[in-house]
Amino acid sequence: MAAITIRNLSDETYRALKARAAAHGRSVEAEVRQILDAAVAEQTDLGIGGRMVQIAAAVGGFDLGVERDGTASRPVGLG
């Protein structure tokens, strides 16, 4: 398994990580692993539509002004 070292982590961030780890019943190291695993999974699990929703949510949303065509289509003849 790979290992990393994080330098220059602020005391405030470390305290928040420690509190979060305690709330989840984990060590700080295990909590950081879970946070990193979740962050990477979020990025890899999203398709283009999911990415667009994520970007829109980050900026407060937006309206494309596109309406769906509710007209029924004709069935395709196979014979």
Side-chain angles (χ1 to χ4, degrees):
M1 285 229 162
I4 63 171
T5 301
I6 301 172
R7 293 182 176 85
N8 302 320
L9 188 65
S10 73
D11 292 338
E12 181 180 293
T13 299
Y14 182 75
R15 280 192 298 272
L17 283 169
K18 193 172 180 178
R20 181 176 165 152
H24 293 128
R26 296 189 271 253
S27 67
V28 173
E29 184 177 340
E31 186 68 17
V32 171
R33 267 195 309 271
Q34 189 280 327
I35 291 167
L36 291 172
D37 287 344
V40 170
E42 286 177 12
Q43 290 181 359
T44 57
D45 289 347
L46 291 177
I48 186 70
R51 288 259 189 231
M52 291 173 64
V53 168
Q54 189 178 49
I55 292 167
V59 297
F62 54 86
D63 183 8
L64 297 176
V66 177
E67 294 183 27
R68 285 189 182 250
D69 181 3
T71 309
S73 59
R74 291 183 309 146
V76 175
L78 301 175

